[in-house]
CSV table of all heavy atoms in Angstrom, one decimal:
chain,number,residue,atom,x,y,z
A,117,ALA,N,89.4,102.5,110.4
A,117,ALA,CA,88.6,102.7,111.5
A,117,ALA,C,87.2,103.3,111.2
A,117,ALA,O,86.3,102.9,111.8
A,117,ALA,CB,89.4,103.6,112.6
A,118,LEU,N,87.2,104.2,110.2
A,118,LEU,CA,86.0,104.8,109.9
A,118,LEU,C,85.0,103.8,109.1
A,118,LEU,O,83.8,104.0,109.0
A,118,LEU,CB,86.3,106.0,109.0
A,118,LEU,CG,87.0,107.2,109.7
A,118,LEU,CD1,87.4,108.2,108.7
A,118,LEU,CD2,86.1,107.7,110.8
A,119,TYR,N,85.6,102.8,108.6
A,119,TYR,CA,84.8,101.8,107.9
A,119,TYR,C,84.5,100.5,108.8
A,119,TYR,O,83.9,99.6,108.3
A,119,TYR,CB,85.4,101.3,106.6
A,119,TYR,CG,85.4,102.3,105.5
A,119,TYR,CD1,86.5,103.1,105.1
A,119,TYR,CD2,84.2,102.5,104.8
A,119,TYR,CE1,86.5,104.0,104.1
A,119,TYR,CE2,84.2,103.5,103.8
A,119,TYR,CZ,85.3,104.2,103.4
A,119,TYR,OH,85.3,105.1,102.4
A,120,SER,N,85.1,100.5,110.0
A,120,SER,CA,85.1,99.3,110.8
A,120,SER,C,83.6,98.8,111.1
A,120,SER,O,83.4,97.7,111.1
A,120,SER,CB,85.9,99.5,112.1
A,120,SER,OG,85.3,100.5,112.9
A,121,ARG,N,82.7,99.8,111.4
A,121,ARG,CA,81.3,99.4,111.7
A,121,ARG,C,80.7,98.7,110.6
A,121,ARG,O,80.0,97.7,110.7
A,121,ARG,CB,80.5,100.6,112.2
A,121,ARG,CG,81.0,101.1,113.6
A,121,ARG,CD,80.3,102.3,114.0
A,121,ARG,NE,79.1,101.9,114.7
A,121,ARG,CZ,78.2,102.7,115.2
A,121,ARG,NH1,78.4,104.0,115.1
A,121,ARG,NH2,77.2,102.3,115.8
A,122,MET,N,80.9,99.3,109.4
A,122,MET,CA,80.3,98.7,108.1
A,122,MET,C,81.0,97.3,107.9
A,122,MET,O,80.2,96.4,107.6
A,122,MET,CB,80.6,99.6,107.0
A,122,MET,CG,80.0,99.1,105.6
A,122,MET,SD,78.2,98.9,105.6
A,122,MET,CE,77.9,98.5,104.0
A,123,ASN,N,82.2,97.2,108.0
A,123,ASN,CA,82.9,95.9,107.8
A,123,ASN,C,82.4,94.9,108.8
A,123,ASN,O,82.2,93.7,108.5
A,123,ASN,CB,84.4,96.0,107.9
A,123,ASN,CG,85.0,96.7,106.6
A,123,ASN,OD1,84.4,96.5,105.6
A,123,ASN,ND2,86.1,97.4,106.8
A,124,ALA,N,82.2,95.2,110.1
A,124,ALA,CA,81.8,94.2,111.1
A,124,ALA,C,80.3,93.9,110.8
A,124,ALA,O,80.0,92.7,110.9
A,124,ALA,CB,81.8,94.9,112.5
A,125,SER,N,79.5,94.8,110.3
A,125,SER,CA,78.1,94.5,109.9
A,125,SER,C,78.1,93.5,108.7
A,125,SER,O,77.3,92.6,108.6
A,125,SER,CB,77.4,95.8,109.6
A,125,SER,OG,77.2,96.6,110.7
A,126,MET,N,79.0,93.8,107.8
A,126,MET,CA,79.1,92.9,106.6
A,126,MET,C,79.5,91.5,107.0
A,126,MET,O,79.0,90.5,106.5
A,126,MET,CB,80.1,93.4,105.6
A,126,MET,CG,79.7,94.7,104.9
A,126,MET,SD,78.3,94.6,103.9
A,126,MET,CE,78.9,93.6,102.6
A,127,ASP,N,80.5,91.4,108.0
A,127,ASP,CA,80.9,90.1,108.5
A,127,ASP,C,79.7,89.3,109.1
A,127,ASP,O,79.5,88.1,108.9
A,127,ASP,CB,82.0,90.1,109.5
A,127,ASP,CG,83.3,90.6,108.8
A,127,ASP,OD1,83.5,90.5,107.6
A,127,ASP,OD2,84.2,91.1,109.6
A,128,ASP,N,78.9,90.1,109.8
A,128,ASP,CA,77.7,89.4,110.4
A,128,ASP,C,76.7,88.9,109.3
A,128,ASP,O,76.1,87.9,109.4
A,128,ASP,CB,77.0,90.5,111.4
A,128,ASP,CG,77.8,90.7,112.6
A,128,ASP,OD1,78.7,90.0,112.9
A,128,ASP,OD2,77.4,91.7,113.3
A,129,LEU,N,76.6,89.8,108.3
A,129,LEU,CA,75.7,89.4,107.2
A,129,LEU,C,76.2,88.2,106.5
A,129,LEU,O,75.4,87.2,106.3
A,129,LEU,CB,75.6,90.6,106.2
A,129,LEU,CG,74.8,90.4,104.9
A,129,LEU,CD1,73.3,90.1,105.3
A,129,LEU,CD2,75.0,91.5,104.0
A,130,PHE,N,77.5,88.2,106.2
A,130,PHE,CA,78.1,87.0,105.5
A,130,PHE,C,78.0,85.7,106.3
A,130,PHE,O,77.9,84.6,105.7
A,130,PHE,CB,79.6,87.3,105.1
A,130,PHE,CG,79.8,88.4,104.2
A,130,PHE,CD1,80.9,89.2,104.3
A,130,PHE,CD2,78.9,88.5,103.1
A,130,PHE,CE1,81.1,90.2,103.4
A,130,PHE,CE2,79.1,89.5,102.2
A,130,PHE,CZ,80.2,90.4,102.3
A,131,ALA,N,77.9,85.8,107.6
A,131,ALA,CA,77.8,84.6,108.4
A,131,ALA,C,76.5,83.8,108.1
A,131,ALA,O,76.5,82.6,108.4
A,131,ALA,CB,77.9,85.0,110.0
A,132,GLY,N,75.5,84.5,107.6
A,132,GLY,CA,74.3,83.9,107.3
A,132,GLY,C,74.2,83.2,105.9
A,132,GLY,O,73.2,82.6,105.6
A,133,TYR,N,75.3,83.1,105.2
A,133,TYR,CA,75.4,82.5,103.9
A,133,TYR,C,76.4,81.3,104.0
A,133,TYR,O,77.4,81.4,104.7
A,133,TYR,CB,75.9,83.5,102.8
A,133,TYR,CG,74.9,84.6,102.6
A,133,TYR,CD1,75.0,85.8,103.2
A,133,TYR,CD2,73.9,84.4,101.6
A,133,TYR,CE1,74.1,86.9,103.0
A,133,TYR,CE2,73.0,85.5,101.4
A,133,TYR,CZ,73.1,86.7,102.1
A,133,TYR,OH,72.2,87.6,101.8
A,134,ASP,N,76.0,80.3,103.2
A,134,ASP,CA,77.0,79.1,103.1
A,134,ASP,C,78.0,79.5,102.0
A,134,ASP,O,77.9,80.5,101.3
A,134,ASP,CB,76.3,77.8,102.9
A,134,ASP,CG,75.6,77.8,101.5
A,134,ASP,OD1,76.0,78.3,100.5
A,134,ASP,OD2,74.5,77.0,101.5
A,135,GLU,N,79.0,78.6,101.9
A,135,GLU,CA,80.1,78.8,100.9
A,135,GLU,C,79.6,79.0,99.5
A,135,GLU,O,80.1,79.8,98.7
A,135,GLU,CB,81.1,77.7,101.0
A,135,GLU,CG,82.0,77.8,102.3
A,135,GLU,CD,82.7,79.1,102.5
A,135,GLU,OE1,83.3,79.6,101.5
A,135,GLU,OE2,82.6,79.7,103.6
A,136,ALA,N,78.7,78.1,99.1
A,136,ALA,CA,78.2,78.2,97.7
A,136,ALA,C,77.4,79.5,97.5
A,136,ALA,O,77.6,80.2,96.4
A,136,ALA,CB,77.2,77.0,97.4
A,137,GLU,N,76.7,80.0,98.4
A,137,GLU,CA,76.0,81.3,98.3
A,137,GLU,C,77.0,82.5,98.2
A,137,GLU,O,76.8,83.3,97.4
A,137,GLU,CB,75.0,81.5,99.4
A,137,GLU,CG,73.8,80.6,99.4
A,137,GLU,CD,73.0,80.6,100.7
A,137,GLU,OE1,73.6,80.8,101.8
A,137,GLU,OE2,71.8,80.4,100.6
A,138,LEU,N,78.0,82.4,99.1
A,138,LEU,CA,79.1,83.4,99.0
A,138,LEU,C,79.8,83.4,97.7
A,138,LEU,O,80.1,84.5,97.2
A,138,LEU,CB,80.1,83.2,100.2
A,138,LEU,CG,79.5,83.5,101.6
A,138,LEU,CD1,80.6,83.1,102.7
A,138,LEU,CD2,79.2,85.0,101.7
A,139,ALA,N,80.1,82.2,97.2
A,139,ALA,CA,80.7,82.2,95.9
A,139,ALA,C,79.8,82.7,94.8
A,139,ALA,O,80.3,83.5,93.9
A,139,ALA,CB,81.1,80.7,95.5
A,140,LEU,N,78.6,82.5,94.8
A,140,LEU,CA,77.6,83.1,93.8
A,140,LEU,C,77.6,84.6,94.0
A,140,LEU,O,77.7,85.3,93.0
A,140,LEU,CB,76.2,82.5,94.1
A,140,LEU,CG,75.2,83.1,93.1
A,140,LEU,CD1,75.4,82.7,91.7
A,140,LEU,CD2,73.7,82.6,93.6
A,141,LEU,N,77.5,85.1,95.2
A,141,LEU,CA,77.5,86.6,95.4
A,141,LEU,C,78.8,87.2,94.9
A,141,LEU,O,78.8,88.3,94.2
A,141,LEU,CB,77.4,86.8,96.9
A,141,LEU,CG,75.9,86.7,97.5
A,141,LEU,CD1,76.0,86.7,99.0
A,141,LEU,CD2,75.0,87.6,96.9
A,142,ALA,N,79.9,86.5,95.3
A,142,ALA,CA,81.3,87.0,94.8
A,142,ALA,C,81.3,87.1,93.2
A,142,ALA,O,81.8,88.1,92.7
A,142,ALA,CB,82.4,86.2,95.4
A,143,ASP,N,80.8,86.0,92.6
A,143,ASP,CA,80.8,86.0,91.1
A,143,ASP,C,80.0,87.1,90.5
A,143,ASP,O,80.3,87.8,89.6
A,143,ASP,CB,80.4,84.6,90.7
A,143,ASP,CG,80.3,84.5,89.2
A,143,ASP,OD1,81.3,84.6,88.5
A,143,ASP,OD2,79.2,84.4,88.6
A,144,PHE,N,78.8,87.3,91.2
A,144,PHE,CA,77.9,88.3,90.6
A,144,PHE,C,78.5,89.7,90.8
A,144,PHE,O,78.5,90.4,89.8
A,144,PHE,CB,76.5,88.3,91.5
A,144,PHE,CG,75.6,89.4,91.2
A,144,PHE,CD1,74.9,89.4,90.0
A,144,PHE,CD2,75.5,90.5,92.1
A,144,PHE,CE1,74.0,90.5,89.8
A,144,PHE,CE2,74.7,91.5,91.8
A,144,PHE,CZ,73.9,91.5,90.7
A,145,LEU,N,79.1,90.0,91.9
A,145,LEU,CA,79.7,91.3,92.1
A,145,LEU,C,80.9,91.5,91.2
A,145,LEU,O,81.1,92.6,90.6
A,145,LEU,CB,80.1,91.4,93.6
A,145,LEU,CG,79.0,91.5,94.5
A,145,LEU,CD1,79.4,91.5,95.9
A,145,LEU,CD2,78.2,92.9,94.3
A,146,ARG,N,81.7,90.5,91.0
A,146,ARG,CA,82.9,90.6,90.0
A,146,ARG,C,82.4,90.8,88.6
A,146,ARG,O,82.9,91.8,87.9
A,146,ARG,CB,83.7,89.3,90.0
A,146,ARG,CG,84.8,89.2,90.9
A,146,ARG,CD,85.8,88.1,90.6
A,146,ARG,NE,85.1,86.8,90.6
A,146,ARG,CZ,84.8,86.0,91.7
A,146,ARG,NH1,85.2,86.5,92.9
A,146,ARG,NH2,84.2,84.9,91.6
A,147,ARG,N,81.3,90.1,88.2
A,147,ARG,CA,80.8,90.3,86.9
A,147,ARG,C,80.1,91.7,86.7
A,147,ARG,O,80.2,92.3,85.7
A,147,ARG,CB,79.9,89.1,86.5
A,147,ARG,CG,80.7,87.8,86.4
A,147,ARG,CD,79.9,86.6,86.3
A,147,ARG,NE,79.1,86.5,85.1
A,147,ARG,CZ,78.3,85.6,84.7
A,147,ARG,NH1,78.0,84.6,85.6
A,147,ARG,NH2,77.7,85.6,83.6
A,148,THR,N,79.4,92.1,87.7
A,148,THR,CA,78.7,93.4,87.7
A,148,THR,C,79.8,94.5,87.6
A,148,THR,O,79.6,95.4,86.9
A,148,THR,CB,77.8,93.6,88.9
A,148,THR,OG1,76.8,92.5,88.9
A,148,THR,CG2,77.0,94.8,88.9
A,149,THR,N,80.8,94.4,88.4
A,149,THR,CA,81.9,95.4,88.3
A,149,THR,C,82.5,95.5,87.0
A,149,THR,O,82.8,96.6,86.5
A,149,THR,CB,83.0,95.0,89.4
A,149,THR,OG1,82.3,95.0,90.7
A,149,THR,CG2,84.1,96.0,89.4
A,150,ALA,N,82.8,94.3,86.3
A,150,ALA,CA,83.3,94.3,85.0
A,150,ALA,C,82.4,95.0,84.0
A,150,ALA,O,82.8,95.7,83.2
A,150,ALA,CB,83.6,92.9,84.6
A,151,LEU,N,81.0,94.7,84.1
A,151,LEU,CA,80.1,95.4,83.3
A,151,LEU,C,80.1,96.9,83.5
A,151,LEU,O,80.1,97.7,82.5
A,151,LEU,CB,78.7,94.8,83.5
A,151,LEU,CG,78.4,93.4,83.1
A,151,LEU,CD1,77.1,92.9,83.6
A,151,LEU,CD2,78.6,93.2,81.6
A,152,GLY,N,80.2,97.3,84.7
A,152,GLY,CA,80.3,98.8,85.1
A,152,GLY,C,81.6,99.4,84.5
A,152,GLY,O,81.5,100.5,83.9
A,153,ARG,N,82.7,98.7,84.6
A,153,ARG,CA,83.9,99.2,84.0
A,153,ARG,C,83.8,99.4,82.5
A,153,ARG,O,84.2,100.4,82.0
A,153,ARG,CB,85.1,98.2,84.4
A,153,ARG,CG,86.4,98.8,84.0
A,153,ARG,CD,87.6,97.8,84.5
A,153,ARG,NE,87.4,97.6,86.0
A,153,ARG,CZ,87.2,96.4,86.5
A,153,ARG,NH1,87.0,95.4,85.8
A,153,ARG,NH2,87.2,96.3,87.8
A,154,THR,N,83.2,98.4,81.8
A,154,THR,CA,83.0,98.5,80.4
A,154,THR,C,82.1,99.6,80.0
A,154,THR,O,82.4,100.4,79.1
A,154,THR,CB,82.4,97.1,79.8
A,154,THR,OG1,83.3,96.1,80.1
A,154,THR,CG2,82.2,97.2,78.4
A,155,ALA,N,81.0,99.8,80.7
A,155,ALA,CA,80.1,100.9,80.4
A,155,ALA,C,80.7,102.3,80.7
A,155,ALA,O,80.6,103.2,79.9
A,155,ALA,CB,78.8,100.8,81.3
A,156,THR,N,81.6,102.3,81.8
A,156,THR,CA,82.3,103.6,82.0
A,156,THR,C,83.3,103.9,80.9
A,156,THR,O,83.4,105.0,80.4
A,156,THR,CB,83.1,103.4,83.4
A,156,THR,OG1,82.1,103.2,84.4
A,156,THR,CG2,83.9,104.7,83.7
A,157,ASP,N,84.0,102.9,80.5
A,157,ASP,CA,85.0,103.0,79.4
A,157,ASP,C,84.3,103.5,78.1
A,157,ASP,O,84.8,104.4,77.4
A,157,ASP,CB,85.8,101.8,79.1
A,157,ASP,CG,86.7,101.5,80.3
A,157,ASP,OD1,87.0,102.3,81.2
A,157,ASP,OD2,87.2,100.3,80.3
A,158,GLU,N,83.1,102.9,77.8
A,158,GLU,CA,82.5,103.3,76.6
A,158,GLU,C,82.0,104.7,76.7
A,158,GLU,O,82.0,105.5,75.7
A,158,GLU,CB,81.3,102.3,76.4
A,158,GLU,CG,81.7,101.0,75.9
A,158,GLU,CD,80.6,100.0,75.9
A,158,GLU,OE1,79.4,100.3,76.4
A,158,GLU,OE2,80.8,98.8,75.5
A,159,LEU,N,81.5,105.1,77.8
A,159,LEU,CA,81.0,106.6,77.9
A,159,LEU,C,82.2,107.5,77.9
A,159,LEU,O,82.1,108.6,77.3
A,159,LEU,CB,80.3,106.8,79.3
A,159,LEU,CG,78.9,106.3,79.3
A,159,LEU,CD1,78.3,106.4,80.8
A,159,LEU,CD2,78.0,107.0,78.3
A,160,ALA,N,83.4,107.1,78.5
A,160,ALA,CA,84.5,107.9,78.4
A,160,ALA,C,85.1,108.2,77.0
A,160,ALA,O,85.5,109.2,76.7
A,160,ALA,CB,85.6,107.3,79.3
A,161,GLU,N,84.9,107.1,76.2
A,161,GLU,CA,85.4,107.2,74.8
A,161,GLU,C,84.5,108.0,73.9
A,161,GLU,O,85.0,108.5,72.9
A,161,GLU,CB,85.6,105.8,74.2
A,161,GLU,CG,86.7,104.9,74.9
A,161,GLU,CD,86.7,103.5,74.5
A,161,GLU,OE1,85.8,103.1,73.7
A,161,GLU,OE2,87.5,102.7,75.0
Side-chain angles (χ1 to χ4, degrees):
L118 294 171
Y119 288 105
S120 64
R121 292 176 85 183
M122 178 65 173
N123 284 329
S125 296
M126 294 292 293
D127 290 341
D128 291 344
L129 176 65
F130 293 144
Y133 292 94
D134 65 30
E135 287 303 312
E137 291 168 326
L138 289 172
L140 178 65
L141 289 169
D143 178 62
F144 171 78
L145 291 171
R146 266 192 307 276
R147 291 169 71 182
T148 301
T149 300
L151 293 172
R153 189 175 302 114
T154 297
T156 300
D157 291 345
E158 288 171 356
L159 282 173
E161 291 170 4

